[in-house]
Amino acid sequence: MSQSANPIELDALIVGAGFSGLYQLHMLRNLRGLSVRVVEAGDSVGGTWYWNRYPGARCDSESHAYCYTFSPELTEEWDWSERYPGPEEILRYLNHVADRFELRPWLDLNRTVQSARFDETGHRWLVNCDDGNCYSARFLITAVGCLSTANIPAIEGLGDFSGRWYHTGQWPRNGVDLSGYRVAQVGTGSTGIQAAPVIAEAAAHLTVFQRTANYSVPARNCALTDEVRQQQKADAAVIQQVMHSNTNGHPWTINPQNALDTAADERHTIYEQSWATGGLKFRSVFADLLIDSKANDTAATFIRNKIREVVKDPTTADSLSNIDHPYGAKRPPIDTNYFETFNRDNVELVDLKKTPIVRIDSNGIQTSAGHHAVDIIVFATGFDAMTGSLLRMDIQGRQQTLADAWAAGPANYLGLQVAGFPNLFTITGPGSPSVLSNMPVSIEQHVEWITECIDYVLETGNTCIECTDEAMAGWVQHVNDVANATLLPTVKHSWYLGANVPGKPQVFMPYAGGLDRYRQACNEVAENDYEGFTLS
Ligand code: NAP
């Protein structure tokens, strides 16, 4: 690795200026007085929301819970306009945070990390960027998000396509004019389910290519009235206490009642009520949905019936409701008029289970059943999740690269540190609750833990903290054990397992034991003088 002669000397370098990077910067610079900078590839703050501006993009967490909780003043002064915020509003919020906490001077924008190497002698990370700049930092903290590296499928002939194509996670900043065009959308995950209804309204024709049918529950988005906002602010302390103490980081707790202990009529009424309320809370309507397949069947059947009620064409309804996995075992989408969209005259579903894509040619997509001429292809095909953005930074630890260390899948301690990579912290890394929780709550927990850990290293006069191989092996085992106690790993094509990216090792990545249990584990490690870490 070549190095610039004059690296910028820092206590800590943070990579990424989304929710995680901004809060970590605030903690270490403003509250601890360390020298810190943030490297960010985009030309502004926002992280995931900077890149994901596809039609229909909207957060699935509710606005009053999808925000920081560390500053009561910030909570009090910020007004959300809708139940679920869109990218523009989240970007306004994060820009407000950057201004309010005077973070901008420490952001190095339009700069991408190309490589990072741990220097044994100085106990420092040497980080090279694409524009020739180099940093030397005691601590390296990745805040790169879990869903930031686009997964563009290697479909034969894409290079021959004469129209335009886009991935939803790299959507052009100024938008794409779809009006009057024939659009193909490949993918029906959370993104595709949000995008299709909005694309259908703009495009002349939309063809949705579905490989795996998916559940979805109505989001029931709405504008927030002043009254609702005032109530949310008045209740903020209680709401935040719930979010910080429960399993999922959302402003509700899981109903302790089991679906299988509930009479069929009452169960149906509860599902109907939850369907009417809408949102991710549907997943929490009974305690046994994600651990008992018979319980799960009751929710799955309810949603399949809803799909068949909504979708008028029986063949399309069959394809949409022919779902091959338990409800919630893949990330459950929520939607605004997704299934209703298939009743439009200008929308068609292609069921790739029946008629797979053969190739793309200059003017469209060829399946085993026929040719679909299109002008624009939208790939809503997801991400190289959780590890993709970490591995592309070419991180070299004491003896090997992170790519080599994780050749068989990610392994770390508490989702935060990898043996052989001292002073490297991964916010919302694999092995932490991250994507199974309300992200900002998980992020705050990680940032605060990392900050206190750095305090400890510095206060004890050390320069280096590194987890042990034994601690890491124990955590990996625990992550597997808690996942295997649920239905989540039973879905073999889930991105939670890395199965959506050809050649990626298949390891269940997020921590499924719950944010409350995870928080406790992290606290205990800290209280026991950072048990499982060595300091030097
Ligand atoms: P995803 O869940 O991985 O879905 C990708 C879709 O593309 C799936 O339907 C997949 O089919 C399909 N696909 C992939 N490769 C394909 C190929 N070669 N041919 C045909 N179809 C292909 O990705 P996503 O929808 O972008 O969502 C990823 C995650 O981002 C979500 O689970 C969620 O955590 C997050 N997200 C959050 C929000 C929010 O909060 N607002 C919104 C969007 C996304 P298979 O299922 O058969 O693989």
Side-chain angles (χ1 to χ4, degrees), residues 54 58 60 153 187-191 194 211-212 330-331 380 382 495:
Y54 56 86
R58 194 168 284 286
D60 287 348
T188 54
S190 299
T191 300
Q194 289 184 337
R211 190 164 67 181
T212 306
K330 288 172 87 172
R331 161 67 152 72
W495 63 256

Side-chain angles (χ1 to χ4, degrees), residues 452-507:
E452 284 169 19
C453 179
I454 289 176
D455 288 344
Y456 183 83
V457 176
L458 300 179
E459 282 161 17
T460 52
N462 288 291
T463 53
C464 201
I465 183 163
E466 179 182 1
C467 71
T468 64
D469 287 320
E470 297 71 33
M472 187 165 86
W475 186 254
V476 168
Q477 185 60 48
H478 177 59
V479 170
N480 283 326
D481 290 345
V482 294
N484 288 333
T486 72
L487 299 174
L488 299 176
T490 64
V491 187
K492 295 304 171 205
H493 52 275
S494 155
W495 63 256
Y496 291 157
L497 273 162
N500 62 326
V501 176
K504 186 166 174 171
Q506 296 197 18
V507 171

Side-chain angles (χ1 to χ4, degrees), residues 154-354:
I155 301 175
E156 191 190 331
L158 178 57
D160 301 334
F161 184 55
S162 59
R164 289 172 287 149
W165 65 265
Y166 306 92
H167 186 278
T168 49
Q170 299 172 338
W171 202 255
R173 208 169 159 178
N174 296 325
V176 179
D177 181 10
L178 301 168
S179 53
Y181 290 107
R182 298 163 302 175
V183 178
Q185 177 187 306
V186 183
T188 54
S190 299
T191 300
I193 280 176
Q194 289 184 337
V198 181
I199 295 176
E201 281 185 7
H205 191 270
L206 170 65
T207 312
V208 177
F209 293 80
Q210 169 191 279
R211 190 164 67 181
T212 306
N214 216 337
Y215 302 97
S216 186
V217 170
R220 313 267 183 229
N221 188 34
C222 57
L224 296 179
T225 61
D226 283 341
E227 199 185 345
V228 168
R229 268 195 294 267
Q230 274 161 18
Q231 195 60 53
Q232 286 173 346
K233 288 184 187 187
D235 295 344
V238 177
I239 292 170
Q240 292 175 3
Q241 203 275 331
V242 171
M243 288 157 58
H244 287 191
S245 58
N246 67 11
T247 313
N248 52 41
H250 287 285
W252 63 77
T253 45
I254 297 173
N255 179 6
Q257 188 178 351
N258 281 334
L260 292 184
D261 297 337
T262 308
D265 283 359
E266 186 193 342
R267 194 167 59 210
H268 187 78
T269 304
I270 292 173
Y271 282 137
E272 284 287 4
Q273 283 165 349
S274 190
W275 187 264
T277 305
L280 288 176
K281 194 175 178 184
F282 192 90
R283 195 173 35 171
S284 306
V285 70
F286 290 113
D288 49 354
L289 292 187
L290 283 180
I291 48 176
D292 185 317
S293 59
K294 285 204 174 68
N296 193 285
D297 285 346
T298 65
T301 303
F302 178 87
I303 301 175
R304 286 195 189 101
N305 288 340
K306 286 287 183 195
I307 298 170
R308 289 196 198 97
E309 274 171 33
V310 170
V311 180
K312 292 188 180 131
D313 174 61
T315 310
T316 306
D318 275 355
S319 288
L320 288 167
S321 59
N322 186 15
I323 308 170
D324 65 358
H325 54 274
Y327 167 68
K330 288 172 87 172
R331 161 67 152 72
I334 61 174
D335 70 276
T336 301
N337 295 330
Y338 176 64
F339 296 113
E340 290 81 351
T341 294
F342 293 94
N343 293 333
R344 294 176 65 111
D345 292 339
N346 70 334
V347 176
E348 176 189 4
L349 181 75
V350 175
D351 185 341
L352 299 179
K353 283 268 155 64
K354 294 180 187 157

Side-chain angles (χ1 to χ4, degrees), residues 15-16 48 51 112-114 142-150 383-395 402 406 426-427 430 504:
V15 187
T48 296
W51 304 103
T112 304
V113 170
Q114 279 195 325
T142 63
V144 291
C146 296
L147 299 157
S148 304
T149 301
F383 302 90
D384 181 355
M386 307 204 75
T387 55
S389 301
L390 292 170
L391 295 179
R392 71 178 170 182
M393 284 189 283
D394 187 18
I395 299 175
L402 191 60
W406 285 4
T426 53
I427 302 177
K504 186 166 174 171

